[in-house]
Amino acid sequence: MTASRVLVLNSGSSSVKYQLLDMADRSRLASGLVERIGEETSRLVHEPLAGPGAAGGRREQVGPIADHGAALKAVAAELAADGMGLDSPELAAVGHRVVHGGTRFTEPTVIDDEVLAEIRNLIPLAPLHNPANVTGIEVARTLRADIPQVAVFDTAFHSTMPEYVARYAIDAATADAYSIRRYGFHGTSHAYVSRATARLLGRPVEDVNVIVLHLGNGASASAVRGGVCVETSMGLTPLEGLVMGTRSGDVDPAVVFHLARVAGFSVDEIDSLLNKKSGLLGMCGDNDMREVLRRAGEGDEAASLAFAAYVHRLKKYIGAYSAVLGRVDAVTFTAGVGENAHQVREAALDGLAGLGLSLDPEANAVRSGEPRLISARGARVAVAVVPTDEELEIATQAYALVTQ
C-alpha cells in the first residue's frame, strides 16, 4: 500500500485547524477545527468527508481541552473513529503551516531539531504566529515521530522578489542587523491561486502574468510573473499594504512618532491600534464586509467612507502592479471577500478600462464555489474569481517533498 495521505495542521495561539487529504486523487477525507484551547468551553468540530464516518456527518464536542497536546490527541481520536487515525500506514506526512520563514526558509522543509530551532529563532519576526506553529510541530512529532513533518512557509512564495523590492530604504547595517525587509504573507494562497488562474486560462503557468488579490479579514496583493512572485503588498509584518478588516495597511511611519510624542501612546498601544483597531473596524466600527456593505447601502456615511477607502487602496495596487508587470493577463480575486463580495470586485475595477479591465455584470453577480471568469467579452485582461485552497497547497508541497 502506497502512503498517499497528508494531514495538514494550522496551529494558532488557541486553535488548531486541520484537514486530511489523499494526494492520490487530491480528495479531502476529513476536516475540522479545535478552538478556545485552554478554556472550559473548548470546542472541537469534526467533519468526515469520506470513509465510514462520513455517513454520520459533522460531529461536535464542547468541553475543556487543556493545551495543544490535548487538542491534537482529540483530533487523532476523531480521525481514528473514522478509520483514518494517525497510526494509519497510509499517512505519508504531516504538513504544517508556518507563518514566517525569514530569509532562511524559501522552500517546503522537512522538520528536524535544527529546523525547529531555526523556526523558534524567527519568533521575533512573527511573535503572534510562530510560537503556536512551533507548538503544533512539537506535539505532532511526538504523535508520529516516524513520518516526515514538513513546514510550509507563508513567506516562501514571496522570497523570489528582487532585492530592490524586498529592501526598505533605511540604513543597510540596521536593516541587516535586525532582519528588516519585506517578506510578504498569504504565500500559499498566492501560489495556489496564481497557478489555478493559469489553468483557468488554459495556458502554461510560465506564460501568465497575474495580479492576485487575496481579500479576507487580512488582505494582500501580489504581482506574479510566469508563476514567480515579483512584488507583494505585505512587508516585514502583515500590517503593510491594503486596508483590511482591523489593520490599517499603509500609513505614514511618522504616525507612530506623532502618537507617541503628542498623544502619549506606548509602543504596545500603537501596535494594538494599527493591527486590531484600524482598517474597516477603525473607520466605521465593523470589520465584516457584509455589514459594511449593508450599512453603506442604507446611507451610513462612516460605512460608505470605509468602503471607499478600501476600494481606493485596491485600485492603487492594481495600477501599481500593472506597471510592475508591464503585461497583465489576469486579475484574480480570492478569499472570503474576494470570492463572495461582487460589489467589491465591481467597485475595484470601475474606471480601469484603460488598463484593459472590465466586468461582465451578470457573471460578476453569480455566486459559485468554482473558479470562473467574470470579465466582459473581448476585455484585454481576464478577470477571475478563484477560491483559494491553502490546505491543498500545503499538502501538495509536503507530499511532493517527501515522495521525491
Side-chain angles (χ1 to χ4, degrees):
M1 181 183 297
T2 302
S4 59
R5 294 177 180 173
V6 177
L7 176 63
V8 176
L9 295 177
N10 181 354
S11 300
S13 58
S14 61
S15 67
V16 176
K17 296 178 183 177
Y18 64 93
Q19 285 196 17
L20 181 66
L21 299 99
D22 190 333
M23 299 314 295
D25 58 5
R26 295 165 67 89
S27 63
R28 273 176 188 74
L29 303 178
S31 66
L33 166 68
V34 187
E35 60 184 350
R36 300 194 291 270
I37 295 172
E39 300 180 19
E40 291 297 312
T41 57
S42 304
R43 177 172 172 260
L44 189 157
V45 178
H46 175 80
E47 187 168 5
L49 304 173
R58 185 174 181 267
R59 303 194 295 269
E60 181 175 337
Q61 55 179 279
V62 177
I65 296 177
D67 52 31
H68 283 71
L72 285 180
K73 287 176 182 176
V75 170
E78 291 292 338
L79 291 170
D82 298 326
M84 299 183 289
L86 297 191
D87 59 349
S88 169
E90 296 178 70
L91 190 62
V94 178
H96 296 268
R97 180 200 180 207
V98 179
V99 167
H100 217 305
T103 55
R104 166 72 169 79
F105 298 109
T106 59
E107 300 286 346
T109 304
V110 174
I111 301 165
D112 57 19
D113 291 343
E114 180 184 351
V115 168
L116 187 56
E118 288 287 337
I119 294 173
R120 283 197 195 96
N121 290 339
L122 291 167
I123 285 175
L125 290 175
L128 297 179
H129 297 95
N130 272 33
N133 302 156
V134 166
T135 300
I137 292 167
E138 290 173 334
V139 173
R141 290 179 83 196
T142 65
L143 295 178
R144 276 303 298 266
D146 59 314
I147 64 170
Q149 310 277 330
V150 178
V152 177
F153 299 89
D154 269 16
T155 51
F157 183 64
H158 305 303
S159 65
T160 54
M161 289 189 297
E163 191 69 2
Y164 60 82
V165 175
R167 283 277 186 171
Y168 289 111
I170 66 171
D171 173 67
T174 301
D176 290 341
Y178 298 101
S179 302
I180 299 171
R181 61 188 290 118
R182 301 182 65 245
Y183 295 99
F185 299 90
H186 295 148
T188 52
S189 177
H190 286 280
Y192 175 85
V193 170
S194 57
R195 287 197 295 271
T197 300
R199 289 195 298 270
L200 184 64
L201 297 178
R203 297 169 58 182
V205 172
E206 297 78 13
D207 292 346
V208 175
N209 293 351
V210 57
I211 297 171
V212 178
L213 301 172
H214 176 109
L215 307 179
N217 192 48
S220 59
S222 67
V224 183
R225 178 182 291 124
V228 176
C229 179
V230 296
E231 171 67 284
T232 192
S233 58
M234 287 178 168
L236 173 70
T237 75
L239 181 59
E240 186 179 357
L242 303 176
V243 175
M244 305 178 219
T246 66
R247 298 181 192 134
S248 64
D250 296 335
V251 295
D252 181 345
V255 169
V256 175
F257 316 143
H258 182 78
L259 289 171
R261 292 168 180 160
V262 177
F265 278 37
S266 68
V267 170
D268 287 343
E269 287 172 330
I270 297 171
D271 188 323
S272 177
L273 172 71
L274 296 180
N275 276 293
K276 299 178 181 178
K277 302 175 183 177
S278 295
L280 295 174
L281 180 68
M283 293 189 74
C284 74
D286 269 309
N287 64 308
D288 187 322
M289 180 58 77
R290 291 168 295 189
E291 280 300 297
V292 174
L293 287 168
R294 181 189 64 78
R295 288 172 51 192
E298 295 173 354
D300 185 299
E301 291 186 8
S304 297
L305 179 61
F307 181 73
Y310 184 98
V311 168
H312 177 72
R313 191 75 55 85
L314 276 176
K315 284 179 183 281
K316 284 178 63 176
Y317 272 87
I318 292 169
Y321 286 1
S322 296
V324 167
L325 290 171
R327 187 198 82 241
V328 179
D329 299 299
V331 172
T332 302
F333 292 84
T334 191
V337 174
E339 294 169 28
N340 297 303
H342 66 90
Q343 303 95 324
V344 169
R345 299 191 296 261
E346 180 182 2
L349 300 183
D350 183 41
L352 299 186
L355 297 178
L357 291 159
S358 57
L359 288 176
D360 178 329
E362 291 185 5
N364 184 46
V366 171
R367 292 286 294 268
S368 170
E370 297 299 318
R372 59 199 186 276
L373 293 175
I374 59 171
S375 38
R377 185 183 298 273
R380 189 170 79 248
V381 178
V383 181
V385 179
V386 174
T388 191
D389 198 332
E390 295 174 86
E391 290 80 11
L392 178 57
E393 180 67 21
I394 290 170
T396 300
Q397 292 190 29
Y399 189 67
L401 180 63
V402 302
T403 55
Q404 283 176 352

